[in-house]
Amino acid sequence: MPLPKRPANEIYSPILKRKRSSSPNSGSDAPGKSLLKVFIIDAKLDAEVVEDLRHLIDNFGTAAGTQLQLCPSAEDAQIVITDIHMQKRIERHVNWDTAKQKAIVTPQWLRDSFESKQLLPCGEYAALRELYEETIQNCPEDSQISASNDQDFPPKAIPSSRKGAGICYNHHYSCMRYSPLICPNQKLVEKLAILRRHREVEGLDIQALGYERAISVPFPRVITTNDFHEVSELPHIGRKILSKIQDFIQHGDIPECRTILNETRYQSLVLFNTVYGIGPSTARALYSSGLRTIKDLERHYGVTSRTNDSNDNASLEHLDRSTKTGLPDLSIKVGLELREELIMRIPRSEVEEIRDVVMNELAHIRSGCVSTITGGYRRGKIESNDIDIVISHKDLKPGDDQVKGLCAELIRCLYDKRLLTHVMYLSSFREHNTLRTTHWDSLQKALTVFILPDSGKGQKRIHRRLDLIFALPEVYHTAIVGWTGSTMFERDLRLWAKEKKGMKFDSSGISRRHDSKLYFPKSEEEVFELLDLEFIEPALRNADL
Ligand code: OXD
Ligand code: MN
Ligand code: MN
């Protein structure tokens, strides 16, 4: 029996208990209690929010006895809480070298840690992309938590018995495993992610995928030395990765991570990849030609970065007016100019606001359209990298470009209203049964840059990456599954369909390989059923970090 569906907006926050060693950073005021100093950067926070955060700090206590103390300067703090997401801005409050020594997190870290009575890993809450790895590295650890706490995993939100019973944490395919947002070995996973990233920026794709697969396997409790045998038998954990896990268990760190983080080359390649349009190989080429910093890139591409005050779209357009779509393209130049905005993560409330604005405009063009916000938002992420919306209408018909037409009309309308500033990609999917005209153009995808209209309250609006996916009604649910992610979950869905079921799955449809028979599931649950899989809620599809 399929599970009842969760509303897409529902936030899943697993209360995971992790056993962690006490931090070398954390001070101690009494036996069994550790005191952690926290500094709040007030800028950009309402007085009420600051008041709430202070209240949380005063009343904070983890199951392991860690308490928080508000501290008057960033220098003395281990944790810095801020809603600032730009290096230039944060430097007005904290010296950059000092910032590198801290875990710099969003207020949500405090709220979630408070609620779950434990210090959550900081990576997911890093306030600045540039300090993501340092924030992981400097994230303080809770005091010893009693081993019995581990029995709380899987979290209560994970149903324990269901039809199918094929789901298990050591299954080969991630679409047969539950992957919550935060796992008991989050800290280890964050370290492995540094190794993965390193292989990725160096173009070692097979190795990077190896780490990605290892990261996706959710061991159900905190790994200790007693678990090595079991861990060695997990899928996707080879000898090399096992030795890294061993390093971590024994030393609380993976020495190679520290070396990597200190490499100028790694730092530059990762930094270059934060520019939209610069992938690993372009980043390496730029590095080889002697470039190291964003300033170097700006000189190289002849760009000056946007200041906080220039918010008019017109200022961007002169940079690039190219394109097949007749709309401004997002070239590397523009990607560089908008970098500081595009790297900022998007809170759930803004994701919803953008969806509302888009759907309002669409209602003027065609009433009765339906939409689902997919991507990280749907998997419960507190902040997303971009916004992914799947849209359909019950009367859309295949064959005469209706999907394409609706998408084009919306894009033009959003652009004319200055809500949409760039279109990087506009295409239809024709992967499925290209000989069947009935299935042509079943999906239309527009990858864009969007900015909310001025709120009139002096609030600065930020350019955001927005992906709109238009689907024929018969592939709406397949598109939702395909665009919910995570990447590894999707990869394994496709593999599972192919290797185990003789089917082809992607977001534009499901078909049987040997005769190309098409299937049109009427719900998300039916997509899973068709593939002979137990339904997994979006919040448990977080098979990537
Ligand atoms: C995101 C995601 O964060 O889809 O945008 O995971
Ligand atoms: Mn996304
Ligand atoms: Mn996207």
Side-chain angles (χ1 to χ4, degrees):
M1 192 184 61
L3 274 184
K5 212 161 149 190
R6 252 167 205 274
N9 291 359
E10 194 174 322
I11 304 180
Y12 168 78
S13 58
I15 310 293
L16 297 182
K17 302 290 167 71
R18 293 159 303 133
K19 187 165 68 177
R20 314 171 83 187
S21 57
S22 57
S23 160
N25 283 339
S26 44
S28 180
D29 68 339
K33 282 211 178 357
S34 40
L35 204 57
L36 196 63
K37 291 187 178 158
V38 180
F39 176 69
I40 301 176
I41 300 179
D42 293 9
K44 280 199 78 190
L45 293 172
D46 290 342
E48 263 171 47
V49 173
V50 174
E51 205 41 53
D52 281 351
L53 295 175
R54 288 190 171 153
H55 175 80
L56 294 182
I57 289 172
D58 288 347
N59 293 286
F60 191 94
T62 68
T66 301
Q67 292 179 349
L68 301 185
Q69 185 182 52
L70 198 59
C71 110
S73 76
E75 280 71 22
D76 298 332
Q78 286 133 283
I79 297 262
V80 174
I81 294 180
T82 180
D83 219 11
I84 295 175
H85 303 281
M86 288 189 197
Q87 175 174 351
K88 271 189 215 145
R89 289 256 196 115
I90 208 123
E91 279 177 307
R92 293 180 200 161
H93 307 272
V94 186
N95 164 297
W96 192 241
D97 285 335
T98 306
K100 285 183 178 171
Q101 315 294 321
K102 313 290 169 192
I104 304 202
V105 292
T106 60
Q108 201 60 39
W109 174 86
L110 178 56
R111 297 185 191 112
D112 289 352
S113 295
F114 182 88
E115 202 174 302
S116 60
K117 292 194 168 33
Q118 61 179 318
L119 299 177
L120 290 173
C122 298
E124 174 75 14
Y125 301 89
L128 284 103
R129 279 261 165 106
E130 289 90 342
L131 294 183
Y132 172 71
E133 269 124 10
E134 285 83 353
T135 292
I136 292 173
Q137 196 83 359
N138 301 325
C139 185
E141 301 189 351
D142 217 339
S143 316
Q144 294 286 335
I145 296 175
S146 104
S148 62
N149 283 338
D150 295 340
Q151 289 159 7
D152 274 2
F153 187 88
K156 293 179 183 52
I158 297 180
S160 54
S161 66
R162 280 206 225 139
K163 172 197 141 207
I167 304 271
C168 62
Y169 71 89
N170 58 3
H171 202 286
H172 182 80
Y173 297 91
S174 60
C175 53
M176 291 289 277
R177 308 193 289 257
Y178 291 137
S179 307
L181 211 45
I182 294 169
C183 75
N185 294 287
Q186 193 71 12
K187 200 98 187 168
L188 165 63
V189 162
E190 288 179 353
K191 298 280 179 193
L192 293 176
I194 295 171
L195 302 180
R196 182 196 65 77
R197 188 92 180 95
H198 174 254
R199 302 332 183 234
E200 184 182 67
V201 294
E202 291 297 355
L204 305 167
D205 295 342
I206 294 176
Q207 285 97 320
L209 184 59
Y211 278 104
E212 213 166 315
R213 288 208 167 281
I215 285 167
S216 75
V217 181
F219 199 67
R221 57 182 180 276
V222 177
I223 300 171
T224 67
T225 39
N226 299 333
D227 297 313
F228 280 145
H229 180 66
E230 207 180 324
V231 171
S232 71
E233 304 212 310
L234 289 174
H236 313 301
I237 308 282
R239 242 180 340 107
K240 254 201 197 137
I241 294 183
L242 192 65
S243 79
K244 305 288 176 197
I245 296 177
Q246 216 149 0
D247 277 348
F248 182 82
I249 303 309
Q250 282 162 4
H251 313 294
D253 200 0
I254 300 175
E256 194 193 344
C257 289
R258 242 176 297 145
T259 315
I260 289 173
L261 290 175
N262 285 327
E263 282 171 7
T264 320
R265 179 176 165 89
Y266 175 77
Q267 289 167 4
S268 295
L269 294 181
V270 167
L271 191 66
F272 293 176
N273 280 168
T274 63
V275 178
Y276 194 90
I278 299 186
S281 65
T282 310
R284 289 195 300 277
L286 292 166
Y287 187 89
S288 297
S289 61
L291 310 182
R292 297 290 179 269
T293 63
I294 292 294
K295 281 267 162 299
D296 292 345
L297 291 189
E298 287 173 354
R299 261 192 301 275
H300 180 78
Y301 287 101
V303 172
T304 42
S305 79
R306 279 165 61 78
T307 63
N308 298 326
D309 325 307
S310 67
N311 200 19
D312 57 325
N313 300 339
S315 73
L316 293 168
E317 288 172 22
H318 71 278
L319 285 170
D320 196 336
R321 269 187 169 282
S322 61
T323 127
K324 313 153 256 341
T325 64
L327 300 172
D329 218 345
L330 188 72
S331 60
I332 292 182
K333 267 187 173 187
V334 185
L336 196 50
E337 209 192 26
L338 290 181
R339 188 190 82 95
E340 289 203 341
E341 295 191 14
L342 295 181
I343 61 174
M344 287 164 71
R345 273 169 290 182
I346 315 166
R348 296 180 72 82
S349 57
E350 190 177 335
V351 172
E352 289 155 18
E353 199 179 345
I354 290 176
R355 186 266 320 269
D356 292 347
V357 169
V358 169
M359 292 312 288
N360 256 332
E361 294 302 331
L362 186 58
H364 294 311
I365 298 170
R366 183 145 188 179
S367 67
C369 286
V370 291
S371 70
T372 301
I373 306 173
T374 53
Y377 171 93
R378 189 155 187 260
R379 300 196 311 275
K381 279 172 78 172
I382 285 151
E383 291 173 319
S384 300
N385 295 311
D386 69 351
I387 302 138
D388 307 293
I389 309 179
V390 176
I391 297 170
S392 188
H393 190 290
K394 66 178 176 28
D395 298 332
L396 281 176
K397 298 276 183 297
D400 56 354
D401 279 350
Q402 288 192 20
V403 178
K404 200 172 177 173
L406 188 60
C407 176
E409 234 182 301
L410 177 65
I411 297 297
R412 171 53 62 184
C413 154
L414 294 174
Y415 178 69
D416 288 345
K417 295 201 166 179
R418 301 197 144 215
L419 294 166
L420 205 144
T421 61
H422 297 84
V423 176
M424 288 90 75
Y425 188 81
L426 193 58
S427 86
S428 42
F429 284 61
R430 298 183 181 210
E431 287 170 19
H432 266 273
N433 302 286
T434 44
L435 293 177
R436 286 175 185 246
T437 46
T438 53
H439 210 60
W440 275 28
D441 295 340
S442 64
L443 276 196
Q444 176 80 15
K445 176 169 80 163
L447 311 187
T448 72
V449 178
F450 183 95
I451 187 160
L452 277 167
D454 204 334
S455 65
K457 296 179 193 154
Q459 187 184 4
K460 167 152 167 48
R461 295 306 204 174
I462 295 167
H463 286 85
R464 302 297 199 182
R465 280 272 302 101
L466 167 69
D467 293 342
L468 298 171
I469 302 94
F470 284 78
L472 279 177
E474 55 263 41
V475 295
Y476 182 56
H477 299 286
T478 329
I480 290 174
V481 174
W483 278 83
T484 294
S486 63
T487 307
M488 183 55 76
F489 191 90
E490 297 297 331
R491 185 181 276 127
D492 278 355
L493 265 184
R494 291 193 295 273
L495 271 182
W496 167 270
K498 179 178 171 193
E499 292 173 354
K500 298 289 177 192
K501 296 291 146 192
M503 308 276 266
K504 179 167 162 50
F505 168 84
D506 67 46
S507 43
S508 66
I510 298 178
S511 57
R512 196 162 57 192
R513 286 188 171 265
H514 76 267
D515 59 0
S516 300
K517 178 178 160 41
L518 296 169
Y519 294 85
F520 300 118
K522 291 187 186 54
S523 66
E524 194 179 28
E525 283 83 352
E526 222 181 274
V527 173
F528 281 76
E529 262 173 40
L530 265 171
L531 297 173
D532 212 8
L533 285 168
E534 195 172 333
F535 181 71
I536 295 186
E537 290 170 66
L540 296 174
R541 297 181 208 164
N542 286 291
D544 307 338
L545 181 65

